[in-house]
Structure formats: C-alpha cells, structure tokens
Amino acid sequence: MLAWAVPACDHGGMVDLGLRQVSLVLFDGFELLDATGPLEVFGQVGDRVGVTLVGPRSGPVASSQGIRLMADVAYAGAPAPDIVLVPGGSGTRALAGDRDWLAWLAAWAGPARLVASVCTGAALLAAAGLLDGHRATTNRRAADWVAGLGPGVTWVQDARWVEDGDRWTSAGVSAGLDMALALTATLWGQAAADAAAAAMEYGWMATPCG
Amino acid sequence: MLAWAVPACDHGGMVDLGLRQVSLVLFDGFELLDATGPLEVFGQVGDRVGVTLVGPRSGPVASSQGIRLMADVAYAGAPAPDIVLVPGGSGTRALAGDRDWLAWLAAWAGPARLVASVCTGAALLAAAGLLDGHRATTNRRAADWVAGLGPGVTWVQDARWVEDGDRWTSAGVSAGLDMALALTATLWGQAAADAAAAAMEYGWMATPCG
C-alpha cells in the first residue's frame, strides 16, 4: 500500500478557445463508457474539436463489453497528437506489461499538448512514464495496482479528477464525463461546458474533488 | 403545446433474475451516449445479459458525433427481440417520418417483452404507435416535437425516466444511464444495480423523478 497525497482541488483557469484535435486511444478490452463518455461531451462542442480514434488497427476494436468501436487509424500511422485521451478497462492489464506498446505510447503521446486518462487508463500513462513528477488519480478499486506502476507519481485519493498542468486523470468510468466537461471549460470556456452538460441533461460534478 | 401529465414516480418491484437479451437499435445519427450509457450498465451485469446491436446493415453505423459503432445484424435479419432499446439523436428527425422503417419497428419490437427508449428515441416509439395508451417521457428540449408524434400517449414532464409496464422511456442522453440501472434492478435485483453503479463510480439518480 503506497501513501496517498491529500486531495488537490485546484482547477486551472486557462481558456484556449481554439480548434483542438482529440486522439482517443483504443485497445482490445477498453471500457466502453471511459471512451464514449468524453466523446459525447466533445461531440457537444461542435466544430471546435475534431476526434480521431487510434487503435491497434483501423477498423473495429472490441470493448470489455464486446461492443465494437471503429478506429480511424492504426497506432503505427497515427498523426502527431494534440490532446491524447486514454481510457481504462480490462485490457489495460496486458498493455501495462507490454514494453513495446508502452514505448510507442511514450514517444507518440509525450510531446502532445495535453495527455489525459480515464479510470485505469492511468495505469498505461504511469507505466509509460508519462505521469512521472505529476499528481494523478485513477479508479479507486484498482488504485494500488495502478500506483505500483508509477512510483514517481504523486497519487491523489478521493479526487473525481486531477488537473496537473498538461496531465489530467480521472477516477473510474463515469468520472471521465466530469473531467471532459472540465476540459471543455478550460479549452472553450465555461459557457461551452455548461451548454454541453445541459444538452446531455447531466448532473455535472463540476469540482475536481466532487 | 400539449398538456403534460403530472410526474408519475412509481417504480416497479418485479425481479426477473433470468438471462435476458437486449437488442439496441442503431441508425445513422444516433446519439452516442444514449446507446453506450445503457450498454455500459448492462456490461456490468455480466453473463446474465446478452447484447445485439441492430442497424441498417451489419457493420459500422455513425453516431451524430461521427463515432462509429459496429452493428451485429441488419434490421432485415434481426432475430425476434426480448428487450428493445432505442436511442435518440439527430437521426430520429428523418426516421420519425419514414413510414416503412416505422412499420418495421412496430412489427419487430411490438411483441418484445419490454420496449425502452432514451431521449428522442421516444419519438420513434411514438411515431410507430408503440407508446399508445402508455405514459412516457423524452428529452425536455424536444418535448413538443416528440409529443406531437404521439397524441395517444400520456406524456410525463420532469421525469428522469418513466416505467409503464412494458414501456420504459427516459429523459435526455445521460438519463439513459439512470433508467438502465433501474432496469437492472428490476431484472436482476437491487444488488446488481448498486454494484453496477459502484463499479462505474456513478452517482445514480435512483428515483424516476430524480
């Protein structure tokens, strides 16, 4: 059992307002809502954001639930990313030990403007070294496993999500919705985030410590 | 503007516990979270539920957001359904006036054990006559349009979802998560629904009137 930091509830105020591109990383056994919750939020933002689904191959990639999303492009051909989002899911268990894949993730995602994860997606960021020196959180139930992959990370317990500069991480599954709304507020303004939550009829947990 | 009934907050107590099959109806321009929210919930139930995605063709079907889910089977070849779930989305505008498609939906879904919709999916159920004589709800912003398609329906305003026998309908987008959890409680017991919400770290709005 690793020591956990006290919650850090600061929330960045930067507003970008520009056109952004989100690259979502799919893999066999991703958790469906970890991916589609944030994608629904970004879909509400309209033409200020583009989304690319990156997978082991272009074509269908199966979630833990067996539901298949279509990847637009394979890892090997993925363009340099702007914003990277990594979901969790049962598939993280194998990938967290796959050194070749982690090396690809570190090299590809490292230079991105912002790297984010939902749930046990933080295991992959941690194992790739992408969270070293940062504060981060993850699914509560998998917390000890994930924390063991990132000894150089300050793990924050009981946060709904954690913003630490260019590394954002959320707690389990549905927390990705709240983080994506906060990211929307940061990138395109509070009004855009409020409008997205209203259109989704969603009771946004709008503070990082929920 | 149609008259709206007062909210009806009754919640059925029937528990089935059996193996159930959910057929989710995809169409071009479905709303991503309307579909994937309930699918995430059912995915938490494990091997007591199977899911079939039914679409205009087997293969990729694009959401309003451009994200593509893979349909398992085409409408024409879809097996007789057990539980039907119809999402909303911008694509409902065209389908609500497509008499051939509505005739297929009425004939195929009518005999099912339970027919449910999320958001403006209720427009399609209403236009197919599947809600006649029932209480139902829908997305608040589209309420007048949807209600106009179902003059024989008792529309319930300000409900998170409405259960009326074998017809269940939810409010907009994220309300599908809450309805799916309630359906899980009805079919597989309260403990199964509580476990699903906990695994998703989701703050379930567990009463129909929210």
Side-chain angles (χ1 to χ4, degrees), chain A residues 9 160-161 204-210:
Chain A
C9 294
R160 188 69 174 162
W161 76 90
W204 180 17
M205 296 173 66
T207 55
C209 288

Side-chain angles (χ1 to χ4, degrees), chain B residues 137-154:
Chain B
T137 197
T138 185
N139 183 299
R140 295 177 189 197
R141 293 184 182 181
D144 289 339
W145 173 65
V146 176
L149 295 167
V153 182
T154 301

Side-chain angles (χ1 to χ4, degrees), chain A:
Chain A
M1 174 83 75
L2 297 184
W4 286 73
V6 293
C9 294
D10 54 306
H11 176 51
M14 186 265 291
V15 173
D16 178 299
L17 298 176
L19 173 64
R20 298 268 68 89
Q21 186 72 26
V22 174
S23 295
L24 185 120
V25 178
L26 294 176
F27 46 85
D28 296 320
F30 73 91
E31 186 74 21
L32 183 62
L33 192 64
D34 291 16
T36 59
L39 293 178
E40 171 71 33
V41 172
F42 297 134
Q44 298 289 343
V45 174
D47 57 10
R48 287 172 291 181
V49 59
V51 171
T52 303
L53 273 55
V54 180
R57 58 212 158 264
S58 65
V61 181
S63 74
S64 301
Q65 296 77 24
I67 307 299
R68 294 169 292 163
L69 286 189
M70 290 287 285
D72 300 301
V73 61
Y75 303 142
D82 180 30
I83 295 171
V84 172
L85 183 61
V86 179
S90 60
T92 60
R93 298 282 169 167
L95 283 179
D98 183 335
R99 296 204 166 275
D100 288 345
W101 190 84
L102 294 169
W104 167 78
L105 182 65
W108 176 75
R113 179 189 305 260
L114 190 144
V115 180
S117 64
V118 176
C119 195
T120 50
L124 303 179
L125 298 189
L130 288 164
L131 295 178
D132 285 346
H134 287 273
R135 291 179 293 109
T137 197
T138 185
N139 183 297
R140 294 179 189 196
R141 292 183 181 182
D144 289 340
W145 173 65
V146 176
L149 295 167
V153 182
T154 301
W155 294 100
V156 180
Q157 201 169 21
D158 294 332
R160 188 69 174 162
W161 76 90
V162 170
E163 306 171 15
D164 187 18
D166 56 0
R167 297 292 184 270
W168 289 38
T169 51
S170 89
V173 192
S174 66
L177 286 162
D178 302 308
M179 181 182 74
L181 285 163
L183 187 55
T184 296
T186 295
L187 293 175
W188 301 290
Q190 186 66 36
D194 290 341
M200 296 164 59
E201 298 192 14
Y202 182 63
W204 180 17
M205 296 173 66
T207 55
C209 288

Side-chain angles (χ1 to χ4, degrees), chain B residues 8 10 12 114-115 131-136 153-154 156 161-169:
Chain B
D10 54 307
L114 191 143
V115 180
L131 295 178
D132 286 345
H134 287 273
R135 290 179 293 109
V153 182
T154 301
V156 180
W161 75 91
V162 170
E163 306 172 16
D164 187 17
D166 57 0
R167 297 291 184 269
W168 289 37
T169 49

